[in-house]
């Protein structure tokens, strides 16, 4: 299809002297070059399939939370329906069914939030939608009350949003919601300290899934383990190391994927900019899917040490214990120089700046063993992104995972 109908791929194949028949197995895919975000921007119109009329196309943009938003096309209506079918399939692993009552904390804009009504009900889907933009110590008691009255079966949430609620509930010894069977987390990296906190507070399973706006790869956990199961029906996924070659099990690699559900604007061997570690074998749940041990996040969610090496944000900074969080309400890291990191902190009202500063600088210095220098800035608040997410790291350095040729 791509060769016959997509000008960009016809040109690429012809330049390489390839025909579709030359791709006979997944190893042969490596004969094709990577598709990068820059290449999509430069060749977007050539990436649109000529056998699709404009009326069937929908223009979509990524959030751009880690850089310039990327725009592309997908098939109107059917693309979203396929996505929803896959989401339902993976959520069914932890008991979710169409029509279950859900609380939504995913950056939705609540219509009358400006009037002080921070929730709304969707009777068709049976969703209680709560604003992610107004969560603070003044409003959170009402959030808890609304959720308890609603008696949800599941909570769908950004990890950063549900973490705010969980921290408030833990600090105030609030009982969990007895009807909630699982927390469904996605669209952000779920750190281990967040998973531990959520399972402690809500006393239920936290289920995490991985995907992206470009819809080239989808993976989610199951009822038996926290490994991400890659949907092979959704897309072909490769983990590529810095040298451009396949990463082995246990090695960090960039997720490169070929999506199977967007014939209107096919992405073949697309570099997602997301990093993950592959796991060996199959899960004890019995599903014969390739496994990801963990998703480390986007390339732009790494710190650059003094020697130029990359430091994952999760293990470096987020083995955060209760004593730290009792002093810190919000935290964000900013890097615009190699080896130097600014830490923005919204401190607890009862904690002295000197105590918070001394403690955090000691902790971060010990964890990174001097690989980065830290300085603290105390701020009144840290705003969410336009899509309602909290960015733990703002990385201004132009990081690329691959080794320069």
């Amino acid at each position: 299809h791509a060769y016959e109908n997509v000008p960009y791929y016809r040109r690429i194949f012809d330049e390489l002297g390839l025909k579709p028949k030359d791709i006979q197995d997944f190893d042969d895919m490596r004969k094709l070059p990577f598709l990068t975000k820059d290449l999509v921007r430069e060749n977007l119109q050539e990436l649109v399939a000529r056998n699709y009329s404009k009326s069937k196309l929908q223009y979509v943009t990524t959030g751009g939370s880690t850089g310039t938003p990327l725009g592309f096309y997908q098939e109107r209506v059917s693309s979203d329906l396929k996505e929803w079918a896959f989401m339902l399939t993976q959520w069914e692993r932890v008991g979710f069914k169409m029509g279950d009552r859900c609380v939504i904390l995913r950056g939705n804009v609540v219509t009358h939030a400006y009037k002080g009504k921070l929730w709304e009900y969707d009777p068709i889907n049976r969703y209680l939608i709560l604003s992610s933009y107004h969560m603070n110590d003044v409003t959170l008691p009402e959030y808890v009350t609304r959720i308890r009255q609603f008696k949800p079966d599941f909570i769908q949430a950004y990890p950063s949003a549900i973490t705010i609620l969980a921290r408030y509930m833990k600090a105030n010894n609030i009982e969990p919601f007895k009807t909630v069977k699982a927390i469904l987390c996605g669209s952000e990296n779920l750190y281990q300290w967040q998973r531990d906190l959520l399972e402690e507070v809500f006393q239920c399973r936290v289920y995490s899934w991985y995907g992206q706006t470009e819809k080239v790869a989808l993976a989610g956990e199951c009822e038996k383990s926290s490994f991400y199961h890659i949907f092979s029906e959704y897309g072909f996924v490769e983990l590529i190391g810095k040298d451009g070659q396949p990463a082995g099990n246990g090695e960090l690699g960039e997720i490169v994927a070929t999506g199977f559900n967007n014939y209107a604007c096919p992405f073949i061997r697309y570099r997602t900019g997301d990093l993950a570690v592959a796991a060996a074998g199959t899960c004890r749940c019995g599903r014969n899917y390739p496994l990801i041990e963990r998703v480390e996040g986007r390339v732009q969610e790494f710190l650059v040490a003094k020697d130029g090496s990359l430091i994952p944000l999760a293990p470096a900074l987020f083995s955060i214990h209760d004593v730290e969080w009792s002093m810190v309400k919000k935290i964000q890291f900013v890097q615009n120089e190699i080896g130097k990191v600014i830490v923005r902190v919204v401190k607890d009202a009862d904690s002295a700046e000197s105590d918070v500063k001394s403690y955090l600088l000691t902790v971060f210095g010990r964890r990174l063993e001097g690989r980065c220098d830290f300085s603290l800035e105390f701020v009144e608040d840290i705003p969410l992104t336009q899509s309602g997410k909290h960015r733990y790291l703002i990385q201004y350095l132009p990081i690329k995972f691959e080794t320069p040729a």
Side-chain angles (χ1 to χ4, degrees):
H1 164 73
Y3 182 75
E4 293 294 338
N5 299 296
V6 181
Y8 175 81
Y9 286 113
R10 170 65 73 115
R11 174 166 57 83
I12 293 297
F13 269 73
D14 288 349
E15 287 175 355
L16 295 171
L18 292 174
K19 299 292 184 184
K21 64 181 177 59
D22 296 320
I23 312 298
Q24 292 296 315
D25 57 33
F26 287 117
D27 287 338
D28 286 340
M29 293 287 286
R30 292 201 289 273
K31 297 176 182 178
L32 297 172
F34 297 123
L35 179 69
T36 65
K37 298 178 192 298
D38 285 342
L39 284 172
V40 173
R41 293 186 182 101
E42 295 164 6
N43 300 275
L44 179 57
Q45 297 309 314
E46 282 197 322
L47 279 163
V48 178
R50 294 299 183 252
N51 59 337
Y52 276 78
S53 65
K54 290 185 178 180
S55 63
K56 290 185 177 181
L57 300 179
Q58 178 183 7
Y59 185 69
V60 181
T61 59
T62 63
S65 58
T66 55
T68 306
L70 179 73
F72 62 97
Y73 293 94
Q74 66 181 22
E75 190 172 357
R76 192 181 301 276
V77 181
S78 67
S79 180
D80 290 334
L81 291 178
K82 290 176 185 176
E83 184 77 6
W84 183 229
F86 274 99
M87 295 302 297
L88 284 176
T89 298
Q90 63 176 351
W91 288 349
E92 284 172 354
R93 298 170 185 169
V94 288
F96 181 87
K97 303 184 301 296
M98 280 281 286
D100 281 343
R101 298 166 69 86
C102 284
V103 164
I104 309 295
L105 268 171
R106 286 184 48 83
N108 299 70
V109 176
V110 175
T111 306
H112 297 293
Y114 69 98
K115 294 181 180 180
K117 185 183 177 184
L118 306 179
W119 56 89
E120 58 191 20
Y121 180 62
D122 174 357
I124 296 176
N125 292 302
R126 302 183 77 193
Y127 288 168
L128 176 64
I129 302 170
L130 301 173
S131 172
S132 303
Y133 302 91
H134 301 84
M135 303 176 73
N136 54 55
D137 289 346
V138 174
T139 61
L140 282 170
E142 187 66 24
Y143 279 62
V144 172
T145 299
R146 291 284 167 179
I147 295 172
R148 204 174 297 282
Q149 291 174 347
F150 183 61
K151 298 180 180 178
D153 300 300
F154 294 88
I155 299 177
Q156 298 179 32
Y158 290 156
S160 60
I162 193 71
T163 295
I164 294 172
L165 177 62
R167 291 188 60 205
Y168 172 81
M169 292 175 65
K170 181 174 182 178
N172 292 278
N173 297 312
I174 295 173
E175 292 292 316
F177 309 113
K178 296 181 179 180
T179 59
V180 175
K181 301 172 186 176
I183 311 294
L184 309 175
C185 285
S187 302
E188 292 177 340
N189 203 23
L190 177 69
Y191 298 105
Q192 186 60 47
W193 67 268
Q194 291 174 313
R195 185 188 296 273
D196 294 341
L197 173 66
L198 297 177
E199 291 187 346
E200 175 189 353
V201 170
F202 294 105
Q203 294 293 298
C204 66
R205 171 66 195 273
V206 175
Y207 176 92
S208 180
W209 56 274
Y210 163 79
Q212 61 295 119
T213 305
E214 298 93 321
K215 297 185 176 69
V216 291
L218 184 68
E221 299 174 4
C222 72
E223 68 279 15
K224 298 290 187 180
S225 77
S226 59
F227 289 126
Y228 290 82
H229 300 47
I230 299 171
F231 270 112
S232 303
E233 309 96 324
Y234 188 98
F236 169 57
V237 174
E238 306 168 73
L239 284 183
I240 302 298
K242 283 188 174 183
D243 58 359
Q245 299 301 310
N249 293 323
E251 296 178 354
L252 187 67
E254 181 178 0
I255 295 176
V256 174
T258 301
F260 295 156
N261 295 322
N262 187 5
Y263 278 65
C265 188
F267 281 12
I268 298 176
R269 300 201 80 202
Y270 173 68
R271 302 195 77 137
T272 64
D274 297 325
L275 302 182
V277 176
T282 56
C283 181
R284 56 194 174 94
C285 71
R287 298 179 181 90
N288 193 26
Y289 286 129
L291 302 177
I292 291 175
E293 180 180 321
R294 65 183 184 276
V295 178
E296 291 284 13
R298 299 190 63 78
V299 174
Q300 291 299 119
E301 292 171 348
F302 282 65
L303 296 173
V304 183
K306 295 175 182 177
D307 62 1
S309 61
L310 301 183
I311 305 172
L313 195 61
L317 302 175
F318 286 114
S319 302
I320 294 182
H321 302 294
D322 292 344
V323 63
E324 293 172 57
W325 281 117
S326 68
M327 294 189 291
V328 177
K329 299 182 71 173
K330 292 183 180 181
I331 195 166
Q332 184 178 70
F333 304 89
V334 181
Q335 185 171 34
N336 47 38
E337 293 184 60
I338 293 176
K340 295 183 179 181
V341 181
I342 300 169
V343 186
R344 293 174 178 164
V345 177
V346 180
K347 72 175 187 64
D348 180 76
D350 297 328
S351 300
E353 284 191 8
S354 58
D355 292 339
V356 177
K357 182 175 182 178
S358 174
Y359 189 82
L360 290 182
L361 290 181
T362 300
V363 168
F364 296 146
R366 183 172 66 245
R367 288 182 187 152
L368 270 71
E369 299 177 336
R371 296 173 67 192
C372 286
D373 295 329
F374 291 88
S375 60
L376 260 63
E377 290 182 358
F378 289 96
V379 296
E380 293 297 319
D381 194 22
I382 298 173
L384 302 178
T385 67
Q386 189 174 359
S387 57
K389 299 177 182 179
H390 174 78
R391 291 177 63 184
Y392 285 103
L393 171 63
I394 298 178
Q395 179 56 270
Y396 289 108
L397 299 179
I399 300 177
K400 290 191 179 296
F401 182 62
E402 67 268 24
T403 302

